[in-house]
Amino acid sequence: MTDVLASSTGSRSAEDFLAAVRQRRERFEGAARQAEVERALPADIVAMMREVGLFWLKTPVGLGGTELDPIAFCDVLEEVAYYDASAGWAAMVGNGCTGIAAGWLPDDGIAEVFANADELPVLAGQVTPRGKAVPVAGGYVVTGRWGFCSGILHAGWLLAGCMVEGEPGRMVIVFVPKSEATVHDNWHVAGLQGTGSCDVSVTEVFVPAGRTIDLAAARPLRGGDLYRQPVLLFVANELGPVAVGVARRALDDMYELAGATARGATGTALSERAAFQKDIAHCECRLRAVRLLYRDAVERVWVASTSGAPLGDAEI
C-alpha cells in the first residue's frame, strides 16, 4: 500500500490522515501496553506521530500545519483513539496546545516557538490559571505549578494559564521552554496510564510579552476561519472524539469477545443471548447518540465560524 505522506502537509485531507493512521494500526496497538509500562508514549510512537503530522492538524498551513476543519479533525482523532487511547489523548493535547500558540501568539513569540521550520514544535500544558504572572518591564515573572500536563515528556514547550498579579480577573497564557521548567515525575495512576500527564512547575521565570496571550483580548493573528473561534472554544471539540473513539473500540471488542464465549449445556454463544443483546444495544444507542450530539455542536460552531458574521451574533 502506498503511504500518503508523500503529499505536502497543507494539502493533505482527512482521508489522507485516516489512511496513514490505518496503515500504522499494528504499531499503535502494539505499543499500548508499553505506554502503560513507561507511563508515557514510547519514543518511537511519538516519532511516528510526528512523521504523520498528527500534532499539527490545528496549526495554520502558513506555519507548516494542516488546518483541518473541525469535523475532519474529529474523524482523525476518533481513529487514533480507537487504536490506542494514550495516543489519541496525546494527539488531542498536542493539537490544542500547539494550535493555540500557532493561531494567537504575537509574531515575536512565533519566531521563538516555531524557530525550526524543519521540526515543528509540540506543546503541552494547562490553560487553567494555576500560576501567577507578575508584570515587569517587557513581560512577566511567572511562578506556578500545573497538574495533568499530558504529553509534556515529549513536548518542547509549556503552555500555562496564569492570573495577573494586581489585576483581578485578568488572565494570560504564557509559553515557556520546557528547559526552563521542572517536570515532576508523579504520574502513577490507575487510568490514562500512558499519557505522561506529569505536573510541571516554574519559579520566577521571565516570560517576554511576545510569548503571552491575554485571554480576554486575544485575537487570531494568522490562519483561516478555524481561528475565528475564541481560544477556549477552539479546543472545546477535542475531548469528545477521543472519548467516542475509545468507547467505540470497547464495544467492538465486546462484540468480538461475546461471539467467542459460550456457556451452559447448549453451548450458546454469549452474543446470541437476549440479555446480552439488550444490554449491548443500550450501550450502542448511547454511544451513537453521544457521537451525534457532540458532532452537531462542532458543526454548528463551524458553520458560525465560516459565516463571516461575528460569532456572538451567530445561532449556535
Side-chain angles (χ1 to χ4, degrees), residues 212-235:
T212 68
I213 299 172
D214 187 323
L215 198 58
R219 297 293 181 270
L221 300 176
R222 56 199 64 83
D225 289 331
L226 183 61
Y227 309 93
R228 293 188 65 234
Q229 304 174 50
V231 172
L232 297 183
L233 187 58
F234 173 78
V235 297

Side-chain angles (χ1 to χ4, degrees), residues 32-79:
R33 177 55 185 156
Q34 187 61 32
E36 293 183 348
V37 171
E38 295 184 16
R39 296 180 290 120
L41 283 186
D44 64 318
I45 298 301
V46 173
M48 181 182 73
M49 292 173 69
R50 279 182 166 276
E51 176 191 29
V52 177
L54 290 177
F55 293 116
W56 306 289
L57 305 177
K58 300 178 79 170
T59 293
V61 172
L63 289 177
T66 310
E67 208 170 323
L68 285 185
D69 72 72
I71 291 295
F73 171 77
C74 290
D75 291 340
V76 177
L77 208 55
E78 278 189 27
E79 193 75 17

Side-chain angles (χ1 to χ4, degrees), residues 136-149:
V136 296
Y140 302 88
V141 172
V142 174
T143 298
R145 179 165 174 156
W146 296 264
F148 212 69
C149 293

Side-chain angles (χ1 to χ4, degrees), residues 14 24 114 128 194 201 217 250:
R24 293 159 175 78
F114 286 79
T128 306
S201 64

